[in-house]
Amino acid sequence: MYKPNELKETVNGVYKRFPKLSTHTKSLRNWGMDYSKDFDFLTKYAQGMDFFYSHMSEENCRESGITYQPNKYTSVSMIGSLNRYSIKKMVDSCLLCFDGDASWLASYRETVVHNYWSHRLEMEFHDFAHQQFVAGERHQKLSGNLRDYGVTLGLCLSLGWLEYARDLRDRINSAFVKDILGDGGDSWGRRRTQHFLVRLLNAYDGVSDVQERLNIKAAYDVDVFNELVEKWNTSNVDELKGLLIKACDRHTHQCRHDSWNNHRFYDFSNLTLESYNPFEVLSIFRLRSLHNLENPTLDHPLMHTHLAQLQPPSDPIADDFLCALLSRARDEESIVIASAFKIS
């Protein structure tokens, strides 16, 4: 039996344990993950080097009784490194923003482009693996995460990169149908904000929801999101303002770890990068601005940083480092990710 795990109607306002911006910034400064190995791998790959790698050293393998077997670094290996490295770039961009460094926006836009390409290539690889699974050439499917893909869709949408956002939306919809999103249904995950962003872009484009056809209940059990999908282009700015404040409040409640024991899952679990980035609100602002509709001013803790302001229109531009990575991946002519380059 499906049991919604959404907030109770009596729960409102900012989450009482939502961190202050100063606390959040401190946690970013203390980010403990080391991405230097991924950057080293990416640099070698971008420079055209052929090499083998292992996530465990020969000494660690020997101590653990595991055979040391380095693998050749390929375009598929690059996807994982780029994914992880884009997290590091996002941390740095957010810190620049919260520190008042004017260079943050250029860094942030570059980061989102990296983030987009890492997910685009990953989804292409998973789609290829699914073809192998259907053909009986692979024993199990590979699954991605709506939690991550949906966030990237929202980041692209909030920046006005509709082509990128639509590409991700279409890939997510295809993954829904093929059941290759581990947290895309009702059994676990239930990433409502991510479902909402897919539906919002569908509403903007005038297309129907794949989630409805597949009867994904979690995509429709948040009242404020249902209203925003219907009223994102309303001329009643006061009504929209009330809905967006509710969405901001809800965002603060979703920035915490999944609770497997209590079967409760949160849209922005495990990582804290989204805490002060209300991209679902900015996505609505962006779509309204494209229709020359007025956007309300929101007096909410989430909306008081530069990261939460609608930025001037821009084009997604890949930096030289990313271009070198993508060029090398194209040159491999790998059937695994070949169709990922169908759009520029």
Side-chain angles (χ1 to χ4, degrees):
M1 179 179 178
Y2 174 76
K3 294 182 179 180
N5 65 353
E6 187 49 34
L7 300 175
K8 297 179 180 178
E9 293 183 6
T10 55
V11 176
N12 51 47
V14 176
Y15 178 45
K16 62 182 180 180
R17 295 182 181 177
F18 186 69
K20 294 180 180 179
L21 181 59
S22 58
T23 303
H24 174 61
T25 303
K26 183 178 179 180
S27 71
L28 293 181
R29 293 194 197 286
N30 294 330
W31 198 271
M33 298 184 69
D34 182 7
Y35 300 91
S36 58
K37 183 177 291 186
D38 287 304
F39 180 66
D40 181 53
F41 290 160
L42 291 172
T43 300
K44 290 179 180 178
Y45 185 81
Q47 293 174 347
M49 296 175 61
D50 291 322
F51 61 97
F52 288 77
Y53 78 101
S54 173
H55 291 297
M56 292 184 66
S57 68
E58 188 171 2
E59 182 180 354
N60 288 337
C61 286
R62 185 169 55 252
E63 292 175 351
S64 303
I66 300 173
T67 302
Y68 179 64
Q69 292 181 317
N71 299 304
K72 184 176 181 179
Y73 197 88
T74 66
S75 58
V76 177
S77 314
M78 182 270 289
I79 294 172
S81 294
L82 182 59
N83 196 320
R84 291 183 291 272
Y85 181 60
S86 68
I87 295 174
K88 167 61 174 172
K89 288 177 65 66
M90 182 62 77
V91 171
D92 293 343
S93 298
C94 289
L95 284 174
L96 288 173
C97 178
F98 299 148
D99 287 343
D101 189 319
S103 67
W104 80 269
L105 183 54
S107 175
Y108 179 73
R109 286 171 173 160
E110 181 181 288
T111 296
V112 176
V113 173
H114 279 235
N115 192 251
Y116 162 76
W117 272 101
S118 71
H119 289 316
R120 171 170 163 172
L121 295 175
E122 182 178 67
M123 296 178 83
E124 186 69 26
F125 175 51
H126 288 173
D127 188 63
F128 176 79
H130 180 263
Q131 295 175 36
Q132 291 182 312
F133 173 78
V134 172
E137 300 170 0
R138 179 184 287 266
H139 293 301
Q140 59 184 151
K141 297 182 286 187
L142 296 181
S143 296
N145 297 302
L146 178 62
R147 182 235 181 275
D148 299 328
Y149 302 154
V151 167
T152 304
L153 189 161
L155 297 177
C156 292
L157 196 55
S158 66
L159 290 171
W161 300 346
L162 292 186
E163 185 178 27
Y164 277 15
R166 285 175 174 136
D167 175 64
L168 288 177
R169 186 267 313 273
D170 293 344
R171 293 178 188 275
I172 289 171
N173 283 341
S174 176
F176 281 144
V177 173
K178 295 172 182 174
D179 191 26
I180 52 174
L181 285 178
D183 55 354
D186 290 327
S187 58
W188 77 276
R190 305 178 190 175
R191 314 300 184 188
R192 272 88 171 188
T193 300
Q194 289 83 337
H195 278 295
F196 162 69
L197 288 162
V198 172
R199 294 179 58 209
L200 177 65
L201 187 53
N202 286 346
Y204 180 81
D205 287 338
V207 300
S208 59
D209 296 338
V210 169
Q211 297 104 312
E212 183 176 17
R213 189 169 80 240
L214 297 176
N215 194 31
I216 301 176
K217 300 178 181 65
Y220 300 93
D221 65 2
V222 180
D223 291 339
V224 66
F225 283 163
N226 291 333
E227 290 190 72
L228 284 170
V229 167
E230 180 183 351
K231 301 175 180 178
W232 69 268
N233 59 352
T234 180
S235 59
N236 189 333
V237 179
D238 288 335
E239 180 183 25
L240 179 66
K241 180 177 180 179
L243 293 174
L244 292 177
I245 289 293
K246 289 181 181 179
C248 285
D249 286 344
R250 183 184 178 280
H251 186 109
T252 67
H253 285 266
Q254 293 299 314
C255 298
R256 38 183 164 161
H257 293 289
D258 286 340
S259 175
W260 289 85
N261 291 337
N262 295 322
H263 202 63
R264 294 190 67 83
F265 307 100
Y266 301 96
D267 297 350
F268 313 125
S269 64
N270 304 323
L271 293 176
T272 60
L273 286 173
E274 294 87 5
S275 294
Y276 276 85
N277 192 340
F279 44 81
E280 66 271 40
V281 174
L282 294 176
S283 293
I284 292 175
F285 282 178
R286 179 66 64 187
L287 295 182
R288 288 178 62 83
S289 70
L290 293 175
H291 280 249
N292 296 314
L293 294 170
E294 179 185 358
N295 284 319
T297 299
L298 303 181
D299 184 12
H300 191 279
L302 280 186
M303 306 302 296
H304 294 165
T305 75
H306 291 296
L307 194 60
Q309 307 307 308
L310 193 67
Q311 301 302 326
S314 67
D315 293 323
I317 300 175
D319 60 282
D320 292 342
F321 183 58
L322 179 60
C323 285
L325 293 173
L326 298 181
S327 178
R328 173 77 186 277
R330 287 189 181 97
D331 290 343
E332 283 188 13
E333 297 182 351
S334 169
I335 191 175
V336 175
I337 60 172
S339 64
F341 298 106
K342 286 182 178 178
I343 66 174
S344 61

